[in-house]
Amino acid sequence: MKRKELNIGLFGFGCVGYGLFEVLHKTPGLKTTIKKICVKQAGKARPIPAENFTLNKYDILDDPSINVVVELIDDADAAFEIVSEALKKGKAVVSANKKMIAEHFNELLELQRLYNAPLLYEAACCASIPIIRNLEEYYDTDLLTSVEGIVNGSCNYILSRIFSDNLDYTIALAEAQAQGYAESDPSLDTGGSDAKYKLLLLIAHAFGLVLNPEDIFTLGIDRIGNTELQYAREKGYKIKLVAQAIKNADNSISFFVIPKFVSPDSRLYAVDDAFNGVITHTSFAETQFFVGKGAGAYPTASAVLSDLSALTYDYRYEYKKLHQVDAVASNEDRLLSILLTGSHDLSLYFDLFKSIEETCTRRDGSYVIGTLTLSSLKLLIKEPTVSVVLRNIEVEDKAEATAVFAGVELLDTVLGQEI
Ligand SMILES: NC(=O)c1ccc[n+]([C@@H]2O[C@H](COP(=O)([O-])OP(=O)(O)OC[C@H]3O[C@@H](n4cnc5c(N)ncnc54)[C@H](OP(=O)(O)O)[C@@H]3O)[C@@H](O)[C@H]2O)c1
């Protein structure tokens, strides 16, 4: 098959945009030309000559010789305008903007269909890990029982530095920003929104369920305090921000982003720093594990490069699982075992628990260990002074225990870095 030549209009020349520019120059086999780069600020010092740049998006969108728009800007609203206009003009689009894609998933599906133009976004989820295309192409819905992962590089970097070097939260966050791992607005990372947007993409491609971002229960790492850190250290655990979607016995899906205690026998335990890791639990292959860098210029650019390469073969997502007959329902009844901490009397919240294993009330910090449903957890975290860390998801029945949890030590597929 003859590969298509790509004439690229690039939006954004920051961390990832410049990374892509360099990566493309080191990949001569791919027949691509960057015809124009649209940026925001006039007069900013750039590492390449000024004639490559424009501040006018229509220099790209109205140029009929440009057949691919690569959108790598840090403004989700402006990105949606650019991407929709490009698709309406029949141009293929590659984007790394999970916020924009998650907030407009259905509209973008419709635009792709109406204008017969593809939108690819492997870099939007776990940067260098090829997870979207794997979920889209490899796994049938029936095969997948859970997708669980560390999907935010900067939170993982911050938590790793806290655990391995005893760093203070604010210093670890400043380091993550200095390394280029954090979003321009770091609260998108630490508050869990970035992971939520990525989970939305994972759920659409894994289970065919399109959600609104606000449907996903999300708790970031910014409430974690000393009691949880001490509990983790005493037990030999780490805390990781985990995004998970799990299939229930009735085929409904439960999903959430939440800080979780991770023990050394979990694959995620050794996923540190800016690495991301995704575990798929499947009916027959049991557990598979993907790991790779989840942020940074080159790792993210490598996923954009892979999408560009796919476009040279006219690849597009077919969203097969969205078109399967049986609609997938979401479910908030799943029981979770948690550690609840707060600086006040936590007996106020006992009614929300289905069972309580342990409680402790102290002047310097109280805690409760117990199980409750996802819907009760949603009510609980409306109180901003409490913090919650997930211990585990209660197993529904014996069959699930065997299928989902017992396979960890068996057949594993490790992509990327050896850990
Ligand atoms: N950094 C990572 O590790 C990483 C990983 C995965 C995904 N992503 C995603 O990749 C995208 C880019 O992130 P980044 O880290 O490269 O951002 P960045 O370093 O802040 O760069 C942003 C770039 O966008 C340009 N820009 C902003 N608004 C624009 C507009 N309206 N029109 C044209 N250009 C505009 C800026 O122009 P000026 O140069 O003129 O200011 C700048 O060049 C984001 O969606 C992010 O979520 C980043």
Side-chain angles (χ1 to χ4, degrees):
M1 183 184 184
K2 193 171 179 299
R3 297 179 77 175
K4 214 181 211 169
E5 290 199 12
L6 306 181
N7 282 323
I8 297 171
L10 173 60
F11 283 86
F13 206 63
C15 175
V16 186
Y18 184 49
L20 178 69
F21 179 85
E22 292 203 307
V23 162
L24 282 174
H25 276 85
K26 290 174 184 161
T27 322
L30 204 62
K31 297 270 173 285
T32 57
T33 312
I34 297 183
K35 286 205 71 184
K36 213 45 154 189
I37 304 167
C38 181
V39 286
K40 191 175 181 185
Q41 301 177 68
K44 189 169 164 182
R46 312 274 176 197
I48 59 169
E51 62 263 26
N52 290 289
F53 295 96
T54 177
L55 299 178
N56 180 0
K57 64 181 177 179
Y58 293 107
D59 284 347
I60 289 177
L61 294 170
D62 287 344
D63 181 343
S65 73
I66 290 178
N67 55 0
V68 180
V69 163
V70 178
E71 180 280 301
L72 300 173
I73 73 172
D74 59 343
D75 173 340
D77 296 334
F80 180 61
E81 280 178 26
I82 290 162
V83 169
S84 345
E85 286 187 61
L87 290 171
K88 284 179 188 168
K89 287 175 188 289
K91 297 184 194 297
V93 179
V94 176
S95 171
N97 203 318
K98 53 255 152 182
K99 181 172 195 280
M100 181 274 292
I101 300 165
E103 284 178 340
H104 299 281
F105 201 89
N106 274 321
E107 291 153 278
L108 291 167
L109 276 180
E110 189 59 6
L111 285 170
Q112 290 177 77
R113 194 186 62 78
L114 280 176
Y115 296 93
N116 193 26
L119 166 66
L120 301 182
Y121 39 82
E122 192 63 71
C125 190
C126 301
S128 71
I129 302 178
I131 190 66
I132 298 287
R133 233 182 293 163
N134 265 296
L135 292 175
E136 174 72 19
E137 300 298 336
Y138 182 79
Y139 300 101
D140 189 80
T141 324
D142 286 348
L143 299 178
L144 274 171
T145 49
S146 157
V147 178
E148 173 188 15
I150 294 169
V151 298
N152 180 274
S154 50
C155 284
N156 205 41
Y157 182 87
I158 293 166
L159 291 170
S160 300
R161 299 288 277 136
I162 290 173
F163 273 90
S164 54
D165 304 303
N166 265 321
L167 271 199
D168 186 66
Y169 176 84
T170 40
I171 298 173
L173 170 60
E175 267 193 18
Q177 287 177 294
Q179 302 273 353
Y181 298 143
E183 289 293 320
S184 309
D185 171 6
S187 67
L188 277 177
D189 294 307
T190 58
S193 300
D194 178 83
K196 168 178 70 180
Y197 299 135
K198 290 168 179 168
L199 182 59
L200 186 146
L201 305 187
L202 292 173
I203 291 171
H205 287 275
F207 298 110
L209 179 63
V210 177
L211 298 162
N212 292 313
E214 57 275 15
D215 296 335
I216 300 179
F217 171 83
T218 303
L219 191 56
I221 64 167
D222 41 14
R223 293 190 190 195
I224 296 173
N226 282 335
T227 314
E228 304 89 296
L229 293 175
Q230 199 181 327
Y231 178 91
R233 289 197 172 106
E234 275 170 15
K235 302 269 180 198
Y237 298 158
K238 292 177 184 170
I239 299 176
K240 302 282 187 190
L241 185 66
V242 169
Q244 183 161 10
I246 184 164
K247 198 186 271 186
N248 302 304
D250 63 358
N251 276 337
S252 62
I253 311 285
S254 300
F255 39 83
F256 42 80
V257 172
I258 190 166
K260 183 179 180 186
F261 294 114
V262 174
S263 69
D265 59 5
S266 165
R267 293 283 174 192
L268 297 183
Y269 184 85
V271 178
D272 279 332
D273 301 324
F275 281 85
N276 284 182
V278 179
I279 300 173
T280 54
H281 298 284
T282 66
S283 303
F284 304 109
E286 292 162 0
T287 301
Q288 291 165 304
F289 177 47
F290 302 79
V291 65
K293 280 218 161 171
Y298 287 171
T300 311
S302 82
V304 176
L305 183 76
S306 175
D307 281 349
L308 289 172
S309 170
L311 285 176
T312 66
Y313 295 110
D314 280 327
Y315 176 78
R316 60 190 305 159
Y317 304 137
E318 289 175 48
Y319 300 97
K320 300 180 195 80
K321 290 161 200 171
L322 293 182
H323 301 117
Q324 287 180 0
V325 190
D326 297 333
V328 182
S330 57
N331 179 327
E332 294 189 347
D333 297 332
R334 190 72 191 233
L335 277 180
L336 307 174
S337 168
I338 63 155
L339 170 72
L340 166 70
T341 54
S343 53
H344 54 293
D345 180 8
L346 298 175
S347 60
L348 242 73
Y349 312 113
F350 283 1
D351 282 354
L352 290 172
F353 283 81
K354 184 117 181 174
S355 67
I356 291 182
E357 213 175 283
E358 200 179 317
T359 64
C360 171
T361 305
R362 286 194 312 232
R363 228 178 300 148
D364 61 336
S366 309
Y367 70 85
V368 179
I369 293 175
T371 58
L372 76 185
T373 60
L374 193 49
S375 51
S376 297
L377 185 54
K378 272 189 169 172
L379 295 176
L380 183 61
I381 63 129
K382 283 193 176 149
E383 167 54 56
T385 59
V386 300
S387 167
V388 168
V389 179
L390 179 67
R391 296 172 73 231
N392 53 57
I393 302 170
E394 295 290 295
V395 174
E396 278 190 318
D397 57 33
K398 204 163 165 281
E400 186 190 65
T402 316
V404 177
F405 297 103
V408 175
E409 295 310 318
L410 297 176
L411 185 68
D412 292 328
T413 305
V414 180
L415 290 183
Q417 174 101 349
E418 267 306 307
I419 61 163

